[in-house]
Amino acid sequence: MALPLIDPGPAFGADGPELLPLDAGQQYRFAFAMEACVGCHSCEAACAEQNGLPPGTAWRRVGEIEGGEFPRTRRLHLSMACNHCLEPACLIGCPTDAYVKLANGVVAHRADECIGCQYCTWNCPYSVPVFQPDRRIVTKCDMCLPRLDAGLEPACVGACPTQAISVEKVDVAAWRAHHAAGDAPLLPPADLTLSTTRYEVPDGIPLESFGGSDWALRPEHPHWPLIWLTLLTQAAVGASLTAGDRSERLTAALLAAVALAASLLHLGRPLHAWKALRNLRRSWLSREVALFGAYGGLAALAVLWWPVAPVATLVGAAGVYASGRLYMVPGRPAWHTPLTLARFGASGVALGALVTGHRGLGMAGVAGGLAVTGLNLARLARGKRIEWWGTVRLALRWFRGWSLLGSALAVGGIVAAGVGPLGLAVTLVAGGELVGRYLFYVTVVPLDMPGSFYRSVG
């Protein structure tokens, strides 16, 4: 995908001298020599100091790779910041167009346009953008643009005592055609986003190498506002689909209203939520916002005028589809499957149908949801990287009790829907769906660079 290049303009000091004069069709990129790096973390410290980053926010990270059998073992280090990709996933998916690809190749983030939705952190297969709590927005490496424009090298380059990191020019067309040098052990493949960082990889790296952070597998954030948003919108659409009278259409409208209100709690800057509609051309998140916003209004209108109900249902179903698609990103292998769409649809059928009294349809939705979850875990168990099998380990070991509870509630809901009170069935199924959606978020393992053996497990 060819992206428009934006001149940095005076805000980035474009009138100053350039570190490396660029010819037509060229851009800046980082280069990294793995064998030269000693893992001193000077680049991390220099980056944090140069950019005023608070503790816990890192734009450049140093990881460790180890492998082999004694006495033939090797340990290497990998330092990575933003790869300033030719097809940056952060830019493509951002709903507010907060990212720009500058004429010098730098992928820059415009803080004033960010609403803190953190969708770019999911899209990036290198987990480069980070949420900065003190600013309530996402931030990332910009290759020290003010220094570049002043003719100086980035802080990380200048701080490296072994000159393992450098900045160089790259011919964009040539790199697009052949970018094998963008791959390194245990990194996501460069062709996902056409990452431009060039890695000098030494010979003789053991095939069974593993990342230092593999031992410290840990859950992701649950994102409770998104748990409520996804479950309630799916329940609302399912209720709209099966509603037979005004009271049931009112239930759907109320569920949608609560879901939309809950979604604002996820944003770092909720007063700027309207900006999420800016990237309808490329971002599934923008489309989700637009479709669910329209569905909420139509569902409310359908309470007063029933002919609108079918239109509301269609728009809501499109919203559920967009909601599923926004999670299907390569940076999250557990989500990057059509099974995510199937799971969201099953939740809508299960919850919505039971709320409106359609027991048989609700039972089918619950059973379908259990089957889809099992299929996805079986798919991930066959993966060779931690981003695949790590989800299975989290679900069946770390969160084994929660997984068993969710399944038990779902099965109990099916039984209650068949022979018990409807209210009990709704309660059990809702509880099972809540547990399942919690696990959906906390057990996903993002693609990333290998981390350090000394990474905190807290």
Side-chain angles (χ1 to χ4, degrees):
M1 176 186 296
L3 295 171
L5 299 180
I6 298 178
D7 190 273
F12 294 103
D15 295 331
E18 292 181 286
L19 176 68
L20 299 170
L22 293 173
D23 297 326
Q26 293 182 330
Q27 75 161 65
Y28 294 134
R29 72 172 174 196
F30 284 115
F32 177 73
M34 289 186 66
E35 203 157 30
C37 180
V38 296
C40 67
H41 298 262
S42 293
C43 54
E44 287 184 350
C47 175
E49 181 179 4
Q50 172 69 31
N51 296 287
L53 303 180
T57 300
W59 291 1
R60 178 170 283 278
R61 296 164 290 158
V62 176
E64 301 170 61
I65 297 172
E66 186 174 276
E69 296 183 3
F70 182 82
R72 298 181 180 86
T73 62
R74 294 198 72 178
R75 176 180 288 187
L76 294 165
H77 295 88
L78 182 66
S79 176
M80 192 185 74
C82 179
N83 295 304
H84 302 287
C85 308
L86 300 185
E87 295 181 1
C90 57
L91 184 155
I92 294 170
C94 177
T96 68
D97 277 335
Y99 289 90
V100 292
K101 178 81 169 172
L102 303 180
N104 61 10
V106 171
V107 178
H109 178 262
R110 299 183 292 181
D112 290 345
E113 304 302 329
C114 182
I115 60 175
C117 71
Q118 306 174 57
Y119 187 44
C120 56
T121 66
W122 295 353
N123 269 278
C124 177
Y126 304 96
S127 297
V128 164
V130 291
F131 184 72
Q132 191 168 323
D134 61 323
R135 300 179 64 185
R136 305 297 301 166
I137 59 170
V138 168
T139 58
K140 65 176 284 294
C141 158
D142 61 2
M143 206 179 278
C144 289
L145 269 172
R147 293 178 61 88
L148 282 183
D149 294 333
L152 302 173
E153 58 199 2
C156 58
V157 176
C160 180
T162 63
Q163 298 182 323
I165 311 171
S166 59
V167 170
E168 61 187 24
K169 298 183 292 185
V170 57
D171 183 281
V172 171
W175 186 257
R176 186 179 291 274
H178 184 70
H179 45 268
D183 291 324
L186 304 184
L187 273 187
D191 59 7
L192 288 178
T193 57
L194 293 181
S195 162
T196 65
T197 301
R198 183 179 63 84
Y199 295 95
E200 297 177 15
V201 181
D203 296 329
I205 297 180
L207 294 177
E208 69 276 12
S209 295
F210 60 93
S213 55
D214 286 5
W215 72 276
L217 181 67
R218 57 185 178 185
E220 289 289 295
H221 193 280
H223 298 291
W224 281 104
L226 296 184
I227 290 176
W228 293 113
L229 168 67
T230 54
L231 281 179
L232 293 177
T233 50
Q234 290 154 27
V237 174
S240 290
L241 178 66
T242 56
D245 56 32
R246 176 174 292 183
S247 65
E248 292 173 350
R249 295 196 299 273
L250 176 61
T251 298
L254 291 175
L255 288 171
V258 174
L260 294 175
S263 68
L264 296 176
L265 300 177
H266 174 67
L267 303 179
R269 302 172 67 201
L271 295 180
H272 296 265
W274 58 271
K275 293 182 178 181
L277 295 170
R278 286 179 171 174
N279 197 8
L280 292 170
R281 185 167 62 93
R282 291 192 305 255
S283 175
W284 281 105
L285 180 53
S286 284
R287 296 165 186 169
E288 181 203 42
V289 171
L291 287 166
F292 278 146
Y295 167 69
L298 290 169
L301 183 58
V303 176
L304 303 175
W305 192 43
W306 69 265
V308 179
V311 178
T313 302
L314 288 175
V315 173
V320 173
Y321 176 79
S323 184
R325 284 299 304 271
L326 74 86
Y327 288 94
M328 293 168 58
V329 292
R332 298 292 192 272
W335 298 346
H336 190 51
T337 168
L339 293 174
T340 296
L341 288 173
R343 189 64 186 89
F344 281 15
S347 294
V349 171
L351 292 169
L354 287 177
V355 165
T356 56
H358 293 76
R359 293 173 180 259
L361 189 58
M363 294 164 64
V366 177
L370 288 172
V372 169
T373 298
L375 287 172
N376 197 33
L377 289 176
R379 174 185 71 90
L380 294 167
R382 296 192 295 269
K384 296 181 179 180
R385 289 182 54 127
I386 189 173
E387 294 88 358
W388 278 261
W389 57 259
T391 292
V392 180
R393 178 172 293 184
L394 286 172
L396 301 184
R397 292 188 184 181
W398 188 307
F399 292 103
R400 177 173 56 188
W402 286 107
S403 296
L404 291 173
L405 175 61
S407 298
L409 289 171
V411 172
I414 292 176
V415 174
V419 298
L422 182 60
L424 178 61
V426 171
T427 301
L428 292 174
V429 170
E433 291 290 338
L434 181 62
V435 172
R437 195 56 47 88
Y438 171 79
L439 293 173
F440 175 82
Y441 286 101
V442 298
T443 63
V444 67
V445 180
L447 285 178
D448 201 350
M449 63 172 282
S452 169
F453 282 97
Y454 301 103
R455 186 180 71 171
S456 169
V457 297

